[in-house]
Amino acid sequence: MSGRIRLAWKNLTHDPRRLAVACAGIAFAVLLMFVQVGFENALFTSQVRLIGKLEGDIFITSRARFALAAEKRFPLALLQQAQACEGVAEASPVYAEWTLSVLKNLSPGASSKGYRIRSIGVRPGDSVFRSPEIARQADRLREPMTALIDIRSKTPNFAFPMDDREALAAAPAELAGKRVQLVGTFDLGADFVHDGNLVMSTPTFAKYFPYRKRFEDPLSVVDIGVVRVADGQKPSEVRKRIAARVGNGVEVYTRRELKDRETSFWKKNTPIGVVFWAGKVIGFVVGVVICYQVIFSDISDHMPEFATLKAMGYGADYFTRLIVTEGLWLAIMGFVPGALVSWALYIWLGEKTGLQMDMTLGVLGLVLASTVVMCVISGLLAVRKLLNADPANLF
């Protein structure tokens, strides 16, 4: 360890109490940044999670559907035309309802209030979901007025016994004003619009939501068309064929295109992205202020010693590197406890909200880099006091 690094370490550790307070302050700033990054990533991840769970290569939506949460639909006849295109193995409709989909727990002692939940209808026999749980329980959905409930739905609201299938099936429940039997669970997760999800067969879906298309079959309009490409076919080429055939009134996407469009909508067309960006900036500024105060106080306490070094001929470069080294030590010592607390908080928030709060290497790297930059900037701001000091005036 070089002399400069040892000196920086001793300057910080000579007063353990002050060091602990400094690390706690920086850890708090790290926690703020982790929470903002975590919620922002959870927002974008949760909004596209349904796309990732669907078993398809190409997706068709109404041109008016600016986001998956918007209830804009297109005629089933267009999906049937897509089925006839070269290279298409299967084209399946997915139906979704949220506005009219209110789930209520009728058990004694449960809240009498109903909560909105996204109801998803799929045709019996269609392999629409990648989820093995749903495939394994598909036969249960052939019974009328039955549904599977997302185990990660916000359970404080719905309060169903998710861990016991028999108790769940016996729990009285009501969907859109009609009785429903919850015959199993699956794992999808809530998002910023929907508190949870139900999956049911299309005949059952039509009974609960008969007025989706006034005076017509409620299944005659589709929310998402899921197209599976035949073996040996390129999704991009099949997408072009489908778009050329049924492009009027609909948009045709590959999985990546649909995910990118959905993420772009939430980033650019809603205030949520700006709010999270502002939160990250505030956390960064708080960290700069805290770290600056710590380093500035350390410089003030050791000014006579620093003056002696200046009188001995040590130059500005040496002191700048010394103070920046102190900032790096503070960044490391504040980041570790901040990351550990944030990891525990991610787990707790994920359980309470149903959102996917992931402590990934990308998140760790982003916050660590921000913490290092934060502490280096603080050091460069604080070192000006030392560089401007005249040794002759300090003795």
Side-chain angles (χ1 to χ4, degrees):
M1 186 181 292
S2 69
R4 186 181 69 252
I5 296 176
R6 287 198 301 272
L7 180 57
W9 175 257
K10 289 183 179 297
N11 282 347
L12 290 174
T13 58
H14 82 283
D15 187 342
R17 182 176 299 178
R18 175 184 290 181
L19 177 62
V21 172
C23 291
I26 295 171
F28 176 71
V30 169
L31 177 63
L32 287 179
M33 290 190 286
F34 265 120
V35 169
Q36 295 300 320
V37 173
F39 270 121
E40 184 180 37
N41 289 343
L43 164 67
F44 299 138
T45 302
S46 64
Q47 296 307 129
V48 301
R49 189 181 296 144
L50 177 61
I51 302 171
K53 291 285 187 177
L54 294 174
E55 186 65 82
D57 305 293
I58 297 170
F59 301 87
I60 304 174
T61 68
S62 168
R63 186 162 291 173
R65 198 179 192 99
F66 51 87
L68 290 181
E71 295 186 333
K72 303 295 183 180
R73 305 173 177 101
F74 66 93
L76 176 63
L78 294 181
L79 186 62
Q80 293 168 340
Q81 292 179 30
Q83 174 73 72
C85 287
E86 180 185 354
V88 173
E90 184 180 30
S92 303
V94 172
Y95 302 90
E97 182 63 52
W98 180 64
T99 303
L100 303 175
S101 181
V102 177
L103 181 65
K104 184 184 296 186
N105 189 342
L106 302 179
S107 301
S111 172
S112 59
K113 182 180 178 180
Y115 296 92
R116 285 185 178 179
I117 189 170
R118 179 169 54 188
S119 293
I120 303 171
V122 296
R123 293 188 306 200
D126 281 4
S127 300
V128 173
F129 286 97
R130 290 178 167 179
S131 169
E133 299 168 292
I134 296 177
R136 197 165 50 244
Q137 303 174 87
D139 288 342
R140 299 177 193 168
L141 298 180
R142 296 184 183 274
E143 295 295 324
M145 316 305 274
T146 59
L148 305 177
I149 187 169
D150 183 359
I151 199 170
R152 297 178 67 186
S153 298
K154 294 180 181 177
T155 51
N157 291 350
F158 298 112
F160 288 108
M162 302 286 196
D163 297 331
D164 187 335
R165 186 169 67 84
E166 293 183 1
L168 177 64
E174 181 182 276
L175 176 65
K178 301 181 180 70
R179 292 297 291 267
V180 62
Q181 185 180 21
L182 303 175
V183 294
T185 62
F186 65 100
D187 188 342
L188 179 56
D191 57 35
F192 275 72
V193 179
H194 310 102
D195 285 343
N197 301 277
L198 294 175
V199 170
M200 61 193 68
S201 68
T202 46
T204 296
F205 186 88
K207 291 178 181 178
Y208 285 112
F209 312 109
Y211 303 114
R212 280 165 48 93
K213 184 70 172 175
R214 189 175 295 275
F215 307 122
E216 293 184 30
D217 180 2
L219 302 180
S220 65
V221 286
V222 178
D223 289 87
I224 305 174
V226 180
V227 178
R228 189 163 51 82
V229 172
D231 292 342
Q233 296 287 331
K234 293 183 178 180
S236 57
E237 294 179 359
V238 177
R239 187 197 69 80
K240 292 178 182 178
R241 295 188 201 118
I242 295 175
R245 184 160 186 169
V246 301
N248 292 333
V250 298
E251 297 286 354
V252 185
Y253 303 97
T254 62
R255 186 186 303 274
R256 173 49 54 192
E257 289 171 344
L258 184 55
K259 283 186 174 182
D260 290 345
R261 191 209 63 164
E262 187 73 10
T263 301
S264 176
F265 169 80
W266 287 95
K267 278 184 177 179
K268 298 178 181 179
N269 297 78
T270 69
I272 297 177
V274 177
V275 169
F276 286 133
W277 177 84
K280 287 184 287 187
V281 172
I282 291 171
F284 183 87
V285 172
V286 167
V288 169
V289 172
I290 293 173
C291 190
Y292 172 81
Q293 291 293 337
V294 172
I295 297 176
F296 186 87
S297 297
D298 180 73
I299 291 175
S300 299
D301 290 347
H302 295 90
M303 189 59 75
E305 291 87 346
F306 287 132
T308 301
L309 292 175
K310 291 188 75 172
M312 292 172 62
Y314 287 91
D317 288 346
Y318 175 83
F319 292 111
T320 300
R321 290 195 297 269
L322 173 66
I323 300 304
V324 168
T325 302
E326 287 192 23
L328 293 175
W329 276 121
L330 285 172
I332 295 171
M333 290 187 287
F335 176 80
V336 172
L340 291 174
V341 173
S342 300
W343 174 69
L345 186 62
Y346 272 29
I347 295 175
W348 183 80
L349 288 171
E351 292 176 351
K352 292 297 182 182
T353 65
L355 298 175
Q356 188 172 336
M357 303 283 288
D358 293 331
M359 184 69 75
T360 63
L361 290 177
V363 171
L364 285 168
L366 175 62
V367 178
L368 175 59
S370 300
T371 306
V372 169
V373 172
M374 173 182 78
C375 292
V376 169
I377 290 175
S378 302
L380 293 175
L381 292 174
V383 78
R384 292 178 304 168
K385 175 181 176 64
L386 174 57
L387 298 181
N388 294 331
D390 185 354
N393 297 327
L394 297 173
F395 292 99

